[in-house]
């Protein structure tokens, strides 16, 4: 349920109303907009006397939120959430570029890629240390050593780092990681989501291979319901019937999610397409669709990559793309 308060409501009136609502066992989320203050109410809202609430002097309107996701809903929080990671901002008017290899392989590899993507204008460095591979016989990632190498690359370049977690038992290893990624395969690992909800780390939550936008938002809600509000959603392609590309990039997700939620939405055209030649056009289309950022795989030697070489841009291809994406963003600026 949301209650929109009238302009000019004083702090004392607001405090009084909130303590009355909390007295009814409701969780109250306050969203302070330029025009209005909105109270998002969670809990047994069925017991709340809506008419009584609506009749109060300071209350403009009261509405039930029909959607099962509440805290991530734009109705609860009309202003877009902006997440700050180091010098980068994700959400609102900002456009964030995340780049790096699928997997961290060696110190030389991750440092070289980090330096090159930074020089080309990336805001964050990605790299998998724990890799969710379809085959148990494929490279599974360098694990804790991979995280240590990412931290070295961060020290070297100043770029904040994004890397995937697969198991909540590994959380201690992620203490210095800037953004924790939940991969497509774990989007509905609810125990993992709840544990991440107890941290205050930004979480990059990727859409599952065959999940609806509502399911993605419910997964974000799992994290938020434990207290962590710092979530970045990521469209990374869904499984459809065509077999030419690795997945089908659902770009409709971007404007749709922007309508439904205040959380930032980025796009991963690398996993969406699986082919390096398809990455630039889809990355540019993502920028044009209003996405809050793009995450692309970049490798210094794609032919020898231990994972996803076929979809990895070379640093010089990434440099051209990064410039073009910024140009597209400027072209569509309001
Ligand atoms: C990744 O980003 O490294 C990854 C494994 O992506 P996804 O979970 O989208 O397949
Ligand atoms: Mn990959």
């Amino acid at each position: 349920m949301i209650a929109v308060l009238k302009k000019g409501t004083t702090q004392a009136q607001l405090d009084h109303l909130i303590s009355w609502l909390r007295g009814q066992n409701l969780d109250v989320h306050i969203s302070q907009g330029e025009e209005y203050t909105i109270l998002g109410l969670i809990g047994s809202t069925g017991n709340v006397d809506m008419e009584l609430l609506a009749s109060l002097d300071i209350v403009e309107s009261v509405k039930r939120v029909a959607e099962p996701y509440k805290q991530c809903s734009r109705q609860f929080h009309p202003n877009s959430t902006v997440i700050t990671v180091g010098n980068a901002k994700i959400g609102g008017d900002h456009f964030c570029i995340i780049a790096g290899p699928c997997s961290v392989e060696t110190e030389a590899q991750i440092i070289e890629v980090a330096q090159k993507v930074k020089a080309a204008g990336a805001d964050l460095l990605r790299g998998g240390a724990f890799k969710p591979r379809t085959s148990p016989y494929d490279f599974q990632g360098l694990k804790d050593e991979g995280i240590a190498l990412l931290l070295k690359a961060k020290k070297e370049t100043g770029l904040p780092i994004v890397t995937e977690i697969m198991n909540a038992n590994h959380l201690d290893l992620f203490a210095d990681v800037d953004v924790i990624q939940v991969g497509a395969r774990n989007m509905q690992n609810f125990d993992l989501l709840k544990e991440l909800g107890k941290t205050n780390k930004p979480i990059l939550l990727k859409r599952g291979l065959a999940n609806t936008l509502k399911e993605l938002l419910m997964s974000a809600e799992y994290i938020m319901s434990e207290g962590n509000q710092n979530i970045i959603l990521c469209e990374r392609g869904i499984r459809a019937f065509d077999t030419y590309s690795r997945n089908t990039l659902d770009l409709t997700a971007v404007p749709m999610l922007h309508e439904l939620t205040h959380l930032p939405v980025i796009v991963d055209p690398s996993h969406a397409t699986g082919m390096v030649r398809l990455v630039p056009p889809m990355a540019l289309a993502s920028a044009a669709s209003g996405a809050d950022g793009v995450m692309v795989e970049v490798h210094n030697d794609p032919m020898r990559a231990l994972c996803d070489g076929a979809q990895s841009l070379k640093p010089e291809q990434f440099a051209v793309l990064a410039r073009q994406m910024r140009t597209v963003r400027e072209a569509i600026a309001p």
Side-chain angles (χ1 to χ4, degrees):
M1 179 183 281
I2 59 172
V4 182
L5 304 189
K6 286 186 182 153
K7 263 193 215 165
T9 299
T10 65
Q11 191 59 46
Q13 288 171 311
L14 180 65
D15 292 344
H16 187 252
L17 176 59
I18 290 172
S19 76
W20 179 67
L21 291 164
R22 289 199 172 131
Q24 299 182 55
N25 273 333
L26 296 170
D27 244 355
V28 184
H29 292 253
I30 306 155
S31 169
Q32 204 93 46
E34 270 171 31
E35 288 277 310
Y36 293 103
T37 300
I38 293 178
L39 301 184
L41 311 179
I42 298 180
S44 315
T45 51
N47 301 332
V48 177
D49 184 339
M50 272 181 81
E51 278 165 22
L52 175 62
L53 183 57
S55 73
L56 301 178
D57 277 355
I58 58 171
V59 175
E60 172 91 26
S61 63
V62 180
K63 266 194 283 199
R64 286 208 182 275
V65 176
E67 299 298 350
Y69 47 88
K70 312 282 178 200
Q71 298 190 50
C72 65
S73 145
R74 199 174 275 281
Q75 277 184 298
F76 251 52
H77 190 290
N79 294 337
S80 295
T81 288
V82 178
I83 296 176
T84 303
V85 186
N87 292 329
K89 288 199 188 308
I90 312 169
D93 300 330
H94 309 276
F95 186 72
C96 172
I97 302 180
I98 306 174
C102 181
S103 308
V104 181
E105 298 170 4
T106 62
E107 178 169 342
Q109 171 239 20
I110 193 66
I111 303 275
E112 182 182 341
V113 176
Q115 285 169 337
K116 290 190 168 160
V117 298
K118 167 147 188 185
D123 301 293
L124 277 87
L125 174 69
R126 66 148 285 148
F130 290 90
K131 292 305 304 175
R133 303 302 301 277
T134 301
S135 166
Y137 307 116
D138 286 341
F139 176 58
Q140 304 284 307
L142 296 180
K143 307 188 172 70
D144 46 346
E145 197 198 328
I147 294 185
L149 294 180
L150 280 166
L151 291 170
K152 263 196 180 163
K154 172 179 174 177
K155 208 166 165 200
E156 201 71 32
T157 59
L159 287 180
I161 56 172
V162 186
T163 193
E164 176 166 354
I165 193 165
M166 287 171 58
N167 186 326
N169 293 334
H170 296 154
L171 249 176
D172 286 351
L173 297 173
F174 288 70
D176 298 321
V177 167
D178 299 283
V179 177
I180 302 181
Q181 175 173 317
V182 176
R185 290 152 192 84
N186 269 315
M187 188 202 94
Q188 288 190 311
N189 181 340
F190 301 120
D191 285 343
L192 175 61
L193 299 177
K194 281 193 263 186
E195 286 308 310
L196 295 173
K198 292 176 192 149
T199 73
N200 58 5
K201 292 270 183 203
I203 308 296
L204 174 54
L205 178 63
K206 298 187 89 173
R207 181 181 183 182
L209 276 68
N211 286 110
T212 64
L213 296 182
K214 189 182 263 184
E215 286 165 342
L216 174 62
L217 292 170
M218 290 311 293
S219 291
E221 194 76 12
Y222 259 97
I223 300 170
M224 295 177 97
S225 69
E226 296 291 335
N228 188 352
Q229 311 291 305
N230 302 314
I231 302 166
I232 303 147
L233 302 173
C234 180
E235 162 60 35
R236 47 77 71 204
I238 49 174
R239 184 153 291 177
F241 44 84
D242 199 85
T243 51
Y244 278 117
S245 56
R246 182 172 181 179
N247 289 292
T248 295
L249 179 57
D250 176 16
L251 268 192
T252 310
V254 174
M256 193 74 243
L257 285 170
H258 276 153
E259 249 178 69
L260 298 172
T261 179
H262 54 89
L263 297 174
V265 181
I266 69 164
V267 176
D268 169 353
S270 305
H271 292 90
T273 62
M275 275 179 270
V276 73
R277 68 179 185 281
L278 300 184
V279 172
M282 292 300 98
L284 294 174
S286 305
S289 74
D292 300 299
V294 161
M295 177 160 80
V296 284
E297 286 185 342
V298 178
H299 198 288
N300 52 339
D301 189 0
M303 296 282 279
R304 288 191 186 76
L306 296 181
C307 184
D308 287 347
Q311 66 193 32
S312 299
L313 298 169
K314 291 186 186 143
E316 42 293 7
Q317 293 171 309
F318 169 71
V320 174
L321 178 61
R323 186 172 40 75
Q324 290 173 330
M325 286 193 288
R326 303 258 184 228
T327 307
V328 168
R329 288 305 286 206
E330 273 165 37
I332 65 162

